[in-house]
Amino acid sequence: MGESTCIFCRIGAGEIPAQFLHQDDTVMAFRDISPKAPTHVLVVPREHILSLAHITGDHGPLLGHMIEVLNQVASAEGLSGRGYRVIANIGADSGSEVDHLHLHLMGGRRLGSMG
Ligand code: 5GP
Ligand code: ZN
């Protein structure tokens, strides 16, 4: 999927609406359209990186900033004291739907065991 048709690039360009919790020059956070938990937020770089599998050392500052934003959003959602889960899907076996890197921030209920 190219950048012009990528749904997260289009959200970043303001072409598709989203419920933003954070936006800056490099990173945005918005609510998942189909939430699986009381808080289900996607933390997304503006850059069209395909997945976590395409991260190199050069992306270190960007990844660090994504985690910083994720923790800030978690705190703003009242999750700091109770905990939360971070998920990144990579490739077919993960069920990944959108080929633009995103971290799922989920919380607000007991999430149960993985798997
Ligand atoms: P993946 O399975 O690729 O890790 O997750 C993609 C996520 O993006 C899904 O949880 C899905 O609900 C969400 N999503 C797909 N399209 C849109 C959209 O147009 N807006 C928002 N806010 N989320 C979307
Ligand atoms: Zn994209």
Side-chain angles (χ1 to χ4, degrees), residues 11 16-23 28-33 35 40-42 73 77:
I11 286 173
I16 295 173
Q19 291 181 38
F20 283 98
L21 301 178
H22 178 93
Q23 279 196 79
M28 49 195 174
F30 49 84
R31 295 197 191 279
D32 196 293
I33 203 168
H40 187 169
V41 173
L42 303 174
V73 170
E77 290 285 298

Side-chain angles (χ1 to χ4, degrees), residues 7-8 30-34 42 89 95-98 102 104:
I7 200 148
F8 289 171
F30 49 84
R31 295 197 191 279
D32 196 293
I33 203 168
S34 179
L42 303 174
N89 289 318
S96 174
E97 293 172 10
V98 178
H102 51 282
H104 295 256

Side-chain angles (χ1 to χ4, degrees), residues 21-22 29 31 39 41 43 66-86 105-108:
L21 301 178
H22 178 93
R31 295 197 191 279
T39 291
V41 173
V43 179
M66 287 176 66
I67 302 299
E68 193 174 34
V69 168
L70 185 145
N71 287 331
Q72 286 169 0
V73 170
S75 178
E77 290 285 298
L79 303 181
S80 296
R82 52 188 296 175
Y84 43 100
R85 181 172 287 164
V86 181
L105 163 62
M106 304 172 77

Side-chain angles (χ1 to χ4, degrees), residues 50-53 87-99 102 104:
L50 290 175
S51 81
L52 216 51
I87 294 174
N89 289 318
I90 301 163
D93 272 1
S94 75
S96 174
E97 293 172 10
V98 178
D99 290 333
H102 51 282
H104 295 256

